[in-house]
Amino acid sequence: MILDELVTVMDGLRIPVMTASYVGKVPDQYVVLTQMEDTFEIFADNTPHMDVCSVRISLFSKGNYLYTKDLLVDALQHAGFTITLRRYIGREDDSGYHHYVVDVEKEYIIKE
């Protein structure tokens, strides 16, 4: 669910995206999605009625990542994601990539 929606957001922004790690020829800018947590938040009659999914979006960029970060945050908000963290991790000296993370959550109602 959430990973498919995030891939759609990245496709709309034309940002290459992979899950867990990037495989193949690595572009100058890309995103890696890492699912962090799934929780059942609302229960009734011992049955979960809402699933909350959390994903870390890691943006890697050899250039200026700030413009892409702003586009990404705006697109995520418009797609209904809750942003729980935005943080610059640093520049990786060995690869030359800037690493910026955006953590998101989305709630899904569980249908009976």
Side-chain angles (χ1 to χ4, degrees):
M1 285 184 292
I2 191 169
L3 293 176
D4 292 335
E5 289 184 47
L6 288 169
V7 168
T8 299
V9 170
M10 299 313 144
D11 288 347
L13 295 173
R14 297 186 177 156
I15 300 173
V17 59
M18 289 280 185
T19 303
S21 66
Y22 208 92
V23 179
K25 186 175 188 292
V26 182
D28 286 346
Q29 183 169 264
Y30 64 96
V31 161
V32 173
L33 305 176
T34 306
Q35 193 150 3
M36 296 181 1
E37 184 176 35
D38 297 324
T39 59
F40 293 130
E41 292 294 323
I42 298 175
F43 284 85
D45 297 328
N46 293 327
T47 303
H49 289 272
M50 183 171 292
D51 189 9
V52 178
C53 301
S54 303
V55 171
R56 170 157 287 170
I57 302 166
S58 293
L59 170 64
F60 295 93
S61 180
K62 284 196 173 183
N64 186 344
Y65 65 93
L66 295 173
Y67 176 74
T68 304
K69 181 250 323 178
D70 291 341
L71 285 177
L72 177 60
V73 166
D74 186 56
L76 291 166
Q77 288 176 322
H78 280 90
F81 290 92
T82 300
I83 296 173
T84 59
L85 175 75
R86 297 177 297 155
R87 177 177 292 151
Y88 181 70
I89 302 301
R91 184 178 177 277
E92 299 175 350
D93 291 334
D94 59 336
S95 66
Y97 284 94
H98 292 278
H99 184 187
Y100 190 89
V101 297
V102 179
D103 291 353
V104 296
E105 286 185 348
K106 196 154 191 188
E107 300 169 349
Y108 298 93
I109 295 173
I110 299 172
K111 298 185 177 155
E112 294 180 32

